[in-house]
């Protein structure tokens, strides 16, 4: 693809807190760009991008959906992401492959908890973004309060590009600070047409104030504007847009627009901002990776470069089979090509290539640098894997996902459902990296784990509807972890004669707690020549396997540092199996001596509640053993920030609805693991083991 065409590409995501109006905004974008000819509504279950049955019924976005549209000769690839915290991984993998983003904020709620989460995710991937303050037609909306919240909570520099004329019922349009005109929308034509009129006199001072702030921000990135400003010369629209774009690409400023997606106001100006300010693939640095030897290399977004692309999503489509969503970073991939999965070292055939519009597909012969599409053919490639030219291999940075914190047991209702259940679960795991399956070796039950109650509820619903699996589902269970309380050592010896050959291995390890670790760290502190590398690897394997199954109640061990400090080596009796078993024995003894304890997931909880129900909510949280961090104000509402054990908030949605007559809302997300109190530990181990070990 020629560079001048690539400069007109915009790969963007739309992200926000749940119910900020993301999908409605996307629906309007598709309507005004001519992609659809009738607006769908989330509350009616007719939104284009919410195509799953579960999304239509619940009025929320569950899975990220991709589409392509055109505005002012620019091609815009859009990914609409979920807003619910249980589906944060969908946002994570979308932002990984996008060049820019639109953050949608509710004009009433402002910067809400999940708004902060997705903003931090965009920071992590250095994604330039613009903001859209939606729902200016709602009573209680306050554009300027949202700007203050952005500064305070997101530590960013919001720069208004337009400001509202009124709010709530009096919201009548927007003031364009670049043109210094008011934009009035023709409501009889669903806002498709609009006119520029003079700014109302009562808003002239406010508009001039924010216009001045806009110029001040732009001047930081363009000396010409600074010079013109100091000389009192007129600054053209193009000059202002060019300077703001520089600021956005540098990540230093965030242009802020406003409107009402539901009332069809402000969307065309948002589209202009996408084209004017967000980057093309040529505006971002070349993608970084390593070759098969681990040497850093990069790829430029050019068709002439060797092909490289990252799979960021896998989806099971009932009509075409396994779809792999891919961002092409360099080169060209064509239908029929044989490409290399550089992570696995295996070749994959590309049978079909498609552009996606939610769940509808358009076959195309190829994808070029900068494009996002879907391919059919790869059989062993998964989310986070790199596909590339076998002649010039590259491994791009993969994706990391949070560990699940909640589990349920699931069993087929009949033997006939057993195979169907296994097949369906494998396909769901294929799609969702935060969905895990394990087997309880004692009971034989299948345990599925996810990011929250809603996450598992949706997956179980899909099992029944999409795959026709009849299954018994148990109550949600917490995914506990284990760790040690103090530094301790353990010794392991394996000595056995097997098939006439003596196998011997001896090892000593030291284990100590390290709360800075998210997982575990294994260090080899043996001197040179004490033990051949092949046996050190066997030792480490045995240690890892034992840590995975825990000591107290079968939960994985985490936040421990293990040092291999001594080993016995008898050349004629040494074997990999012996050292693996000895390593397992040694770490088991060390865990026993280290005063093991159980860790439970602690959740961050924010409750937004009217004054009259605040006392009831606080009392309820105290009963749940929550720690109240802060009680603040958001307009006339109270905001309660707390941390609470996950086991205490199962069914909280129903309870708080009953407690506040449906007038409170809350957001729950994983915070950290912490040590359970003694009584809880005894209760958990009694259920898991049927008895309580002596050390508790």
């Amino acid at each position: 693809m020629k560079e001048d065409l690539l400069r007109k590409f915009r790969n963007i995501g739309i992200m926000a807190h749940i119910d900020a109006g993301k999908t409605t905004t996307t629906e309007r974008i598709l309507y005004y760009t001519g992609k659809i000819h009738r607006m769908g509504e989330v509350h009616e279950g007719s939104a284009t991008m919410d195509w799953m049955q579960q999304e239509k019924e619940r009025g929320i976005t569950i899975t990220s959906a991709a589409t392509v549209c055109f505005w002012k000769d620019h091609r815009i690839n859009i990914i609409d992401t979920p807003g619910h915290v249980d589906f944060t991984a969908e946002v994570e993998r979308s932002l990984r492959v996008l060049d820019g983003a639109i953050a949608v904020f509710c004009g009433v709620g402002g910067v809400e908890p999940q708004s902060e989460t997705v903003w931090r995710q965009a920071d992590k991937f250095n994604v330039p973004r613009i903001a859209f303050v939606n729902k200016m037609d709602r009573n209680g909306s306050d554009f300027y309060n949202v700007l203050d919240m952005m500064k305070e909570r997101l530590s960013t520099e919001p720069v208004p590009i337009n400001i509202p004329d009124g709010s709530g019922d009096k919201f009548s349009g927007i003031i364009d600070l670049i043109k210094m005109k008011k934009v009035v929308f023709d409501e009889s034509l669903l806002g498709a047409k609009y006119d520029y009129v003079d700014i109302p006199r009562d808003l002239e001072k406010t508009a001039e104030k924010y216009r001045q702030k806009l110029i001040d921000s732009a001047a930081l990135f363009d000396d010409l504007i600074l010079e013109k400003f100091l000389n009192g010369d007129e600054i053209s629209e193009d000059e202002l847009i060019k300077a703001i774009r520089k600021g956005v690409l540098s990540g230093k400023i965030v242009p802020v627009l406003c409107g009402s997606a539901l009332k069809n106001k402000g969307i065309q100006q948002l589209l202009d901002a996408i084209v004017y300010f967000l980057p093309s693939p040529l505006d971002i640095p070349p993608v970084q990776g390593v070759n098969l030897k681990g040497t850093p290399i990069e790829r430029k977004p050019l068709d002439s470069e060797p092909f490289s692309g990252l799979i960021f999503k896998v989806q099971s489509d009932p009509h075409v089979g396994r779809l792999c969503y891919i961002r092409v970073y360099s080169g060209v991939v064509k239908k029929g090509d044989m490409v290399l999965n550089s992570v696995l070292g295996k070749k994959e055939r590309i049978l079909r290539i498609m552009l996606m519009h939610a769940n509808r597909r358009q076959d195309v012969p190829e994808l070029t640098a900068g494009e996002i599409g879907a391919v059919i053919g790869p059989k062993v490639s998964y989310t986070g894997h790199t596909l590339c030219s076998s002649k010039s291999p590259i491994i791009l940075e993969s994706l990391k996902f949070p560990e699940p914190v909640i589990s349920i047991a699931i069993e087929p209702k009949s033997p006939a459902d057993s195979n169907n259940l296994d097949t369906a679960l494998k396909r769901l795991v294929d799609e969702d990296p935060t969905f895990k399956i394990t087997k309880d070796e004692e009971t034989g039950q299948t345990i599925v784990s996810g990011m929250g109650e809603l996450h598992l509820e949706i997956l179980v619903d899909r099992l029944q509807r999409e795959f026709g699996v009849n299954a018994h589902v148990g109550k949600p269970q917490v995914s506990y972890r284990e760790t040690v309380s103090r530094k301790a050592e353990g010794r392991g010896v394996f000595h056995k004669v097997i098939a006439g050959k003596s196998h011997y291995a001896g090892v000593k390890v030291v284990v100590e707690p390290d709360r800075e670790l998210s997982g575990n760290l294994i260090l080899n502190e043996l001197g040179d020549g004490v033990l051949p590398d092949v046996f050190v690897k066997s030792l480490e394997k045995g240690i890892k396997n034992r840590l995975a199954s825990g000591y107290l109640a079968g939960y994985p061990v985490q936040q421990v540092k293990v040092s291999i400090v001594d080993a016995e080596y008898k050349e004629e009796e040494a074997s990999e199996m012996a050292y693996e078993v000895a390593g397992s024995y040694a770490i088991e003894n060390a865990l026993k001596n280290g005063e093991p304890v159980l860790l439970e997931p602690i959740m961050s909880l924010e409750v937004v509640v009217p004054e009259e129900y605040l006392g009831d909510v606080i009392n309820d949280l105290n009963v749940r053993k929550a720690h109240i961090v802060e009680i603040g104000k958001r307009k006339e509402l109270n905001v309660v920030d707390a941390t609470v054990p996950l086991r205490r908030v199962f069914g909280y949605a129903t309870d708080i609805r009953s407690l506040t007559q449906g007038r409170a809302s809350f957001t729950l997300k994983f915070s950290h693991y912490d040590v359970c109190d003694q009584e809880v530990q005894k209760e958990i181990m009694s259920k898991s083991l049927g008895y309580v070990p002596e050390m508790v």
Side-chain angles (χ1 to χ4, degrees):
M1 183 182 299
K2 293 181 180 178
E3 286 191 33
D4 55 344
L5 287 177
L6 196 55
R7 288 198 186 280
K8 294 185 176 182
F9 263 52
R10 299 290 183 270
N11 293 318
I12 66 163
I14 302 184
M15 59 187 196
H17 184 89
I18 190 169
D19 204 32
K22 252 181 319 68
T23 301
T24 303
T25 301
T26 309
E27 198 73 11
R28 270 50 180 179
I29 286 174
L30 297 179
Y31 178 77
Y32 294 128
T33 57
K35 187 71 179 183
I36 59 174
H37 301 291
R38 180 183 177 276
M39 292 182 193
E41 303 293 355
V42 173
H43 59 272
E44 294 175 357
S46 58
T48 306
M49 303 300 276
D50 284 350
W51 57 271
M52 290 175 64
Q53 194 60 39
Q54 292 86 351
E55 293 175 316
K56 294 177 184 293
E57 291 172 356
R58 297 164 193 263
I60 62 171
T61 302
I62 293 169
T63 183
S64 53
T67 190
V68 180
C69 59
F70 294 85
W71 183 256
K72 293 188 174 179
D73 295 326
H74 285 67
R75 172 173 165 170
I76 305 174
N77 295 317
I78 300 175
I79 297 182
D80 179 27
T81 64
H84 196 285
V85 67
D86 282 15
F87 308 105
T88 300
E90 285 285 326
V91 185
E92 181 93 2
R93 60 181 172 187
S94 298
L95 287 172
R96 168 65 178 82
V97 297
L98 292 171
D99 303 328
I102 303 168
V104 179
F105 299 102
C106 172
V108 180
V111 180
E112 298 169 280
Q114 188 64 3
S115 309
E116 292 187 59
T117 300
V118 297
W119 193 271
R120 305 298 175 213
Q121 287 173 306
D123 283 342
K124 174 181 171 183
F125 295 115
N126 297 315
V127 177
R129 68 215 79 152
I130 57 180
F132 179 65
V133 180
N134 191 27
K135 302 192 177 185
M136 289 307 303
D137 60 305
R138 276 186 58 184
N139 290 330
S141 60
D142 187 336
F143 176 76
Y144 305 102
N145 180 55
V146 179
L147 294 180
D148 291 339
M149 292 179 77
M150 288 179 69
K151 289 179 183 177
E152 179 187 342
R153 296 193 175 191
L154 305 178
S155 302
T156 191
E157 190 56 46
V159 178
I161 301 299
N162 55 45
I163 58 174
D165 183 357
S167 64
D169 295 337
K170 295 181 179 179
F171 177 59
S172 62
I174 59 178
I175 309 300
D176 187 325
L177 297 176
I178 294 178
K179 295 181 181 295
M180 283 303 279
K181 291 285 185 180
K182 178 178 175 178
V183 186
V184 180
F185 297 89
D186 188 335
E187 296 187 22
S188 66
L189 296 173
L190 297 175
K193 288 191 176 182
Y194 53 89
D195 294 309
Y196 289 102
V197 299
D198 291 337
I199 297 172
R201 296 189 69 177
D202 62 331
L203 271 175
E204 284 178 351
K205 286 186 178 180
T206 304
E208 194 56 50
K209 171 187 169 184
Y210 281 96
R211 161 84 174 185
Q212 193 59 56
K213 288 185 176 182
L214 178 61
I215 291 173
D216 289 346
S217 297
L220 295 173
F221 302 95
D222 195 313
D223 293 339
L224 176 63
I225 286 184
L226 180 60
E227 184 181 329
K228 283 194 168 188
F229 170 65
L230 293 174
N231 294 333
D233 296 337
E234 186 70 25
I235 299 170
S236 72
E237 291 180 26
D238 287 344
E239 288 168 343
L240 204 49
I241 288 169
K242 181 181 175 184
I244 296 166
R245 179 178 176 81
K246 286 181 182 177
V248 175
L249 297 185
S250 72
K252 299 288 177 59
I253 63 173
V254 177
V256 184
L257 300 96
C258 63
S260 168
L262 188 64
K263 296 297 174 67
N264 313 312
K265 293 175 181 172
I267 302 301
Q268 295 96 325
Q269 288 67 37
L270 178 61
L271 279 162
D272 286 344
I274 292 170
V275 168
Y276 293 155
F277 306 129
L278 290 180
S280 75
L282 291 170
D283 293 316
I284 60 172
V287 68
Q288 304 295 312
V290 296
N291 61 20
L292 299 184
K293 294 180 180 179
T295 305
I297 53 175
E298 65 179 31
R299 291 278 189 269
K300 296 176 183 177
L302 302 172
D303 293 358
S304 55
E305 290 267 298
F307 163 66
S308 67
L310 184 75
I311 295 176
F312 65 95
K313 176 173 176 161
V314 175
Q315 179 182 314
S316 295
D317 189 292
H319 303 290
V320 297
R322 194 171 186 266
L323 274 175
C324 293
Y325 284 72
I326 186 171
R327 160 70 190 261
V328 178
Y329 282 99
S330 63
V332 180
V333 61
K334 297 181 179 181
K335 178 181 175 181
D337 280 356
M338 184 71 79
V339 297
L340 175 70
N341 180 320
S342 53
V343 176
L344 300 177
K346 295 187 176 180
K347 291 189 176 182
E348 299 268 40
R349 175 77 69 183
I350 305 298
L351 301 178
R352 286 176 69 185
I353 300 176
M354 290 167 287
L355 297 179
M356 301 299 296
H357 179 49
N359 62 330
R360 298 196 288 277
R361 301 163 297 278
Q362 174 192 346
D363 278 274
V364 292
E366 63 182 24
L367 289 175
T368 58
E371 289 194 278
I372 292 175
V375 298
I376 294 177
K379 296 178 180 178
V380 297
S381 299
Y382 292 92
T383 298
H385 285 182
T386 302
L387 297 182
C388 61
S389 164
S390 56
K391 293 180 180 178
S392 301
I394 184 173
I395 301 175
L396 303 175
E397 183 183 354
S398 189
L399 290 144
K400 294 179 182 177
F401 297 101
E403 287 295 312
V405 295
I406 184 171
S407 305
I408 55 174
I410 187 164
E411 297 176 327
K413 285 187 177 179
S414 68
D417 287 313
S418 183
N419 288 337
N420 290 342
L421 177 63
D422 289 343
T423 301
L425 287 175
K426 285 175 183 175
R427 287 175 67 178
L428 290 176
V429 169
D430 218 13
E431 291 185 16
D432 189 344
T434 60
F435 181 52
K436 307 287 185 186
I437 305 172
T438 55
K439 285 278 187 183
D440 187 317
E441 294 182 3
E442 291 187 7
T443 64
Q445 284 182 311
T446 298
I447 308 296
V448 295
S449 306
M451 300 307 297
E453 286 184 275
L454 179 61
H455 187 204
L456 291 181
E457 186 183 322
I458 296 293
L459 289 168
V460 169
D461 191 33
R462 290 187 61 195
L463 279 175
Q464 295 168 342
R465 290 199 199 185
E466 289 181 33
F467 302 100
V469 174
N470 295 309
H472 295 290
V473 179
K475 292 182 179 179
Q477 301 292 322
V478 177
S479 292
Y480 293 96
R481 297 290 186 266
E482 299 180 15
T483 193
V484 293
S485 302
R486 66 179 184 88
K487 187 174 182 178
E489 66 177 43
R491 179 171 167 75
V493 175
F494 180 84
H495 189 196
K496 198 169 187 179
V497 177
I498 302 174
K501 184 182 185 317
S502 177
H503 295 262
Y504 180 85
V507 63
K508 185 166 78 172
V509 301
V510 173
V511 64
E512 56 187 303
D514 188 340
R515 297 294 181 256
E516 297 299 314
L517 294 172
S518 57
N520 301 306
L521 178 64
I522 300 176
L523 300 174
N524 175 18
E525 296 187 355
L526 298 174
D528 291 339
V530 173
L531 199 63
D533 287 347
V534 65
F535 298 131
V536 173
K537 289 180 180 178
S538 297
L539 262 179
E540 292 175 347
K541 182 181 178 183
I543 291 169
K544 286 178 182 176
N545 289 342
R546 193 68 187 88
L547 289 174
S549 58
Y551 175 79
L552 284 178
Y555 296 108
V557 176
Q558 69 175 36
Q559 297 181 348
V560 300
K561 184 168 73 174
V562 181
S563 302
I564 304 170
V565 296
D566 193 20
E568 295 178 66
Y569 177 57
K570 298 179 181 179
E571 185 175 356
E572 61 281 358
E573 294 181 278
S575 70
E576 292 178 44
M577 178 268 295
Y579 280 99
E580 184 177 333
V581 177
S584 176
Y585 288 166
I587 193 63
E588 181 177 354
N589 289 326
L591 292 173
K592 178 180 178 181
N593 297 332
E595 296 179 6
V597 290
L598 282 180
L599 299 171
E600 65 177 337
I602 304 297
M603 312 299 285
S604 290
L605 174 68
E606 182 190 85
V607 185
V608 181
V609 57
E611 181 71 37
E612 59 264 41
Y613 301 107
L614 179 61
D616 293 335
V617 168
I618 296 294
N619 290 336
D620 179 66
L621 290 176
N622 288 332
V623 170
R624 297 174 188 273
K625 305 294 185 185
H627 169 63
I628 308 296
V629 178
E630 184 182 13
I631 301 176
K633 278 281 189 183
R634 188 177 297 163
K635 293 283 190 178
E636 72 281 3
L637 297 172
N638 293 281
V639 182
V640 182
D641 286 312
T643 57
V644 59
L646 174 61
R647 60 189 165 82
R648 297 280 189 176
V649 286
F650 287 146
Y652 188 61
T654 303
D655 294 343
I656 197 170
R657 195 179 299 125
S658 171
L659 205 60
T660 64
Q661 297 183 17
R663 293 184 61 195
S665 62
F666 74 96
T667 303
L668 196 66
K669 63 181 179 181
F670 174 72
S671 173
H672 63 280
Y673 275 94
D674 203 358
V675 178
C676 300
D677 62 51
Q678 286 290 316
E679 290 305 312
V680 173
Q681 292 197 57
K682 289 178 181 179
E683 179 187 337
I684 294 166
M685 286 187 285
S686 177
K687 288 180 180 178
S688 297
L689 305 174
Y691 67 94
V692 180
E694 292 180 5
M695 68 279 301
V696 176

